[in-house]
Amino acid sequence: MKKIVLLLTISLLGAYYCISQELQTNYIFNTNYKDKSTTISYKEGYKIKVINILPSSDGNEKNDTIIFTVNKFHTDTTGDSGYKLNRLLYEKDDAIINHNMSRKDFNTYTNPIYPFFRGVRAGFYTIPFKIRISDFDFEQNINFGMNIGFQFRFNKKIEDRWLYEPSIGIGLSSINLSNKNSDVTEERTASAFSTSFGLILHFDKNINLGIFSGLDFLGNNDKEVNWKYNKKPWLGIGINIGFSLSEGKGNGSDNVAPNPN
C-alpha cells in the first residue's frame, strides 16, 4: 500500500515539473497581445511553436526569453480579399521570422494547445483478479465499480496517447468464502464493498493498463464468518472503460495539432 501511495506521489510531482515550456511544443494566444518593443500585434487564436528558451542573465526565471515562430497556416481575414498571409509575422525574404517574449508574458498570454492536464474522467472498471498482500495469495475476483481519474500528459505535443491517470473508485466485489479463508463450513460467495485507488497508463486510445490497490469491506450479514482478508489491502490489474467529464482547452476529439512547418 505504501509503495502505491509513493508511486502516485512521484507521478504527481513529476507532473508538476512538466508544466514549464517545452521545446517544439505548440501554443495558442489566449487573447490579443501587442509587443511594445516591436509593435507587432498578435491576435487571439494565433498558433505558435516554441523553438528556444534563453535563460535570463539575472537568474529570474520569469525574465527568461521564449523564442517562437508563428504558425504560417494561421491567416487573417482582410476585407473581401479573403485570407492573406502577413509576412511580418511569418517570413521575410524566404526566411522564417523568430519572435520572442519574456516567460512571464508568455505564461500570461498563451496556453498550450494540448495542456499538461487533459481533464477529469469517470468510468467503469473491472479487476479480474486480486493479490491479497497480507499473505500473497492470488484470488480470482468478480469486481465491478466506478472510478474518477485525473488525466495528465507525459508530453504536451501528443493529444490522446501516453497519458497517466491517478484515480479513485468504489465498487462491489464477489468474494469466494471457504474454510481456508474464513469460518464457513461450506464454500459460498458473499458481497463486499470495495474502495480503490490506482494509476492508469494510456498507451493508446484503445490500450491502457491500470494498477489498483484498495480494501474490501464484507457486508454486515457476513461479518461473523471472520473472512481473513476483510479490510486488508489488495493489489490488482484493472481494465478500464472510460468517458470524459471535462477536458482542458483545445482537447476535442477533432482537435489536431497544427503543422509547425
Side-chain angles (χ1 to χ4, degrees):
M1 180 72 72
K2 292 181 179 180
K3 291 182 179 179
I4 299 296
V5 173
L6 179 61
L7 177 61
L8 292 176
T9 302
I10 292 174
S11 298
L12 292 175
L13 288 175
Y16 173 80
Y17 288 110
C18 289
I19 295 177
S20 61
Q21 286 81 13
E22 296 180 27
L23 295 178
Q24 307 303 312
T25 300
N26 294 290
Y27 287 76
I28 190 169
F29 274 92
N30 56 36
T31 187
N32 294 341
Y33 169 74
K34 184 173 182 178
D35 190 320
K36 295 180 181 178
S37 62
T38 63
T39 70
I40 295 178
S41 294
Y42 304 91
K43 294 184 179 181
E44 181 180 356
Y46 274 23
K47 297 179 177 67
I48 61 180
K49 179 179 178 182
V50 175
I51 60 172
N52 201 2
I53 301 175
L54 304 179
S56 171
S57 59
D58 60 8
N60 188 341
E61 189 179 77
K62 291 183 179 180
N63 295 327
D64 290 351
T65 300
I66 309 298
I67 310 296
F68 61 92
T69 58
V70 179
N71 189 324
K72 69 180 181 180
F73 287 100
H74 182 91
T75 53
D76 294 324
T77 303
T78 55
D80 296 330
S81 61
Y83 293 97
K84 181 180 179 181
L85 291 177
N86 184 338
R87 290 173 63 82
L88 179 64
L89 290 173
Y90 307 114
E91 58 186 37
K92 184 176 181 181
D93 299 328
D94 296 326
I96 300 297
I97 293 179
N98 293 339
H99 304 261
N100 64 81
M101 295 174 65
S102 69
R103 184 189 293 271
K104 179 181 179 180
D105 286 343
F106 195 91
N107 289 341
T108 300
Y109 296 105
T110 72
N111 290 325
I113 291 179
Y114 298 142
F116 158 72
F117 176 60
R118 188 169 189 260
V120 180
R121 293 172 62 84
F124 299 102
Y125 71 92
T126 179
I127 299 174
F129 69 90
K130 293 177 179 176
I131 300 173
R132 298 295 175 179
I133 300 176
S134 55
D135 56 6
F136 202 74
D137 186 20
F138 290 88
E139 181 180 279
Q140 187 175 0
N141 188 273
I142 299 175
N143 190 102
F144 187 77
M146 185 172 184
N147 68 337
I148 295 178
F150 305 88
Q151 284 194 351
F152 300 89
R153 290 182 172 87
F154 282 110
N155 190 330
K156 289 186 287 186
K157 306 173 194 176
I158 301 175
E159 197 272 339
D160 56 6
R161 293 178 292 112
W162 294 106
L163 311 169
Y164 65 101
E165 179 182 333
S167 71
I168 56 175
I170 56 174
L172 294 176
S173 296
S174 178
I175 304 299
N176 296 317
L177 298 176
S178 70
N179 56 14
K180 294 181 179 179
N181 61 24
S182 65
D183 293 341
V184 299
T185 56
E186 295 183 357
E187 293 186 0
R188 65 181 180 89
T189 60
S191 296
F193 176 76
S194 185
T195 62
S196 68
F197 65 94
L199 181 66
I200 303 172
L201 301 177
H202 298 263
F203 304 103
D204 189 273
K205 285 184 178 181
N206 302 314
I207 302 175
N208 57 68
L209 173 67
I211 301 175
F212 292 87
S213 184
L215 303 173
D216 288 333
F217 300 84
L218 211 59
N220 287 329
N221 293 334
D222 295 303
K223 282 188 175 180
E224 72 279 359
V225 303
N226 294 319
W227 181 48
K228 68 179 182 178
Y229 299 125
N230 192 39
K231 301 179 183 179
K232 292 184 179 181
W234 50 261
L235 185 67
I237 305 297
I239 301 173
N240 176 270
I241 303 173
F243 52 88
S244 174
L245 287 181
S246 66
E247 293 189 346
K249 184 177 179 181
N251 287 341
S253 60
D254 296 328
N255 188 349
V256 179
N259 188 332
N261 297 318

